[in-house]
């Protein structure tokens, strides 16, 4: 199993930036694809972005393309989400997840382990 802990959330104004971190412990972090999801009040959890084990492949939801960037440092067992030009509609609890195998990279069902989430609030 892999245990995941998110950090870096907070309260910022529209247009500002945050960087979220996801620290993993347990087995073979470097062999897992990773993803970020978010859940806003009154809405279902939605896909934000994903990164493969080597960091050479990434994909993002249309709502965050050009503003958010996923990266990972396998030596530190950490995945990052750099969020720029934040908007009030980005307000949500952000979750990281890991994926051991399979081809479903953009849905909740495709992932095996989840963190507890970190709150991001963007004021206007």
């Amino acid at each position: 199993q892999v245990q995941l802990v998110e950090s870096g959330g907070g309260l910022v104004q529209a247009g500002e930036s945050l960087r979220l971190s996801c620290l993993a412990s347990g087995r073979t972090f470097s062999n897992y694809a990773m993803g970020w999801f978010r859940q806003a009040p009154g809405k279902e959890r939605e896909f934000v972005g994903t990164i493969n084990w080597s960091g050479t492949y990434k994909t993002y939801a249309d709502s965050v393309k050009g503003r958010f960037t996923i990266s990972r440092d396998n030596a530190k067992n950490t995945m990052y989400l750099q969020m720029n030009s934040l908007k009030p509609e980005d307000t949500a609890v952000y979750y990281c997840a890991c994926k051991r195998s399979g081809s479903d990279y953009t849905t909740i069902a495709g992932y095996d382990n989840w963190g507890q989430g970190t709150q991001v609030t963007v004021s206007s």
Side-chain angles (χ1 to χ4, degrees), residues 3-103:
Q3 291 76 49
L4 306 173
V5 179
E6 303 95 335
S7 62
L11 173 63
V12 298
Q13 295 182 350
E16 295 182 345
S17 299
L18 279 175
R19 189 179 74 162
L20 306 184
S21 298
C22 174
L23 176 64
S25 61
R27 286 191 170 189
T28 60
F29 173 79
S30 62
N31 292 328
Y32 285 74
M34 304 290 293
W36 286 99
F37 292 75
R38 66 186 183 185
Q39 188 165 18
K43 297 184 178 180
E44 296 185 354
R45 193 170 301 185
E46 66 176 359
F47 171 75
V48 175
T50 187
I51 184 169
N52 73 337
W53 67 270
S54 65
T56 58
Y57 171 81
K58 305 171 187 177
T59 192
Y60 302 91
D62 288 342
S63 59
V64 305
K65 284 181 179 177
R67 299 188 298 119
F68 291 11
T69 303
I70 292 176
S71 62
R72 66 191 296 166
D73 186 339
N74 290 339
K76 297 181 179 180
N77 294 328
T78 303
M79 176 180 64
Y80 305 96
L81 181 66
Q82 179 67 45
M83 305 185 295
N84 298 329
S85 301
L86 282 163
K87 305 174 181 179
E89 51 262 45
D90 295 318
T91 295
V93 176
Y94 283 72
Y95 299 89
C96 67
C98 66
K99 178 182 181 66
R100 187 172 65 179
S101 63
S103 59

